[in-house]
Amino acid sequence: MNTAVPVAPAASPVWFRALTWVAPLMLIVTAWIPDDGASKPLPVAGSVFLTLLGVGLGAFFAQVPRRLAYILTDTGLRVSRFSGTFEWPYRELRVRRTDAGLGLRVGGVGLPGYYTGNYTFTGAGYRNVQAIASNTRGGLIVERGGTPYYLTPADPDAFAQALTARGVPELG
């Protein structure tokens, strides 16, 4: 029986959300602003291309956070993100509760409501973690093969309890 685990709601600062949406809006708007000083104006095809690129980037930004999901199956923890879905067997996992969060992004994606990739970690025990999260705070660590993954379920305590009930050891 599969049990979907709600992901924590995004809590990005307003300035970060606004800054994220500036790129696609700038592509769309600037494609159609005439440049009176230019000897050769941008062709209509170029304006259309930049507009479509901006719309596509905006659609990508809107769709990415919706792909993040955690599902407890009979055999393991299934994690879905924009780049694909994978399942970790429970016997390979360890769970650790933490009050710390993500630091600087080393590599990956950082959008409001969607953080994946390698991040520094602000807590003790780890320098870097692999994030598959909707937020930079309020998550927990799930270790697999010695690699710490930072996940952000809506209720980290209930999620940790559900994992331990399925045989996942809790680290101190």
Side-chain angles (χ1 to χ4, degrees), residues 8-138:
S12 301
V14 173
W15 68 267
F16 185 56
R17 290 191 304 260
L19 184 64
T20 300
W21 287 101
V22 165
L25 289 175
M26 290 296 289
L27 281 170
I28 295 167
V29 170
T30 58
W32 299 100
I33 295 176
D35 184 4
D36 295 332
S39 60
K40 187 175 178 185
L42 183 65
V44 174
S47 295
V48 169
F49 174 75
L50 289 176
T51 300
L52 292 175
L53 185 63
V55 168
L57 193 59
F60 174 74
F61 288 173
Q63 184 63 30
V64 163
R66 293 184 180 103
R67 297 285 180 98
L68 186 63
Y70 314 126
I71 300 168
L72 299 171
T73 69
D74 292 335
T75 58
L77 171 61
R78 184 176 300 150
V79 179
S80 296
R81 57 185 176 179
F82 188 77
S83 61
T85 300
F86 50 88
E87 187 169 319
W88 295 324
Y90 293 125
R91 68 182 178 283
E92 297 178 4
L93 302 179
R94 310 285 179 266
V95 65
R96 180 179 303 224
R97 298 171 200 241
T98 182
D99 292 331
L102 298 178
L104 298 173
R105 183 180 68 212
V106 178
V109 177
L111 294 172
Y114 189 80
Y115 301 90
T116 62
N118 196 16
Y119 283 75
T120 61
F121 190 64
T122 61
Y126 307 103
R127 288 188 65 173
N128 293 316
V129 294
Q130 292 293 319
I132 307 172
S134 62
N135 210 330
T136 59
R137 299 275 179 261

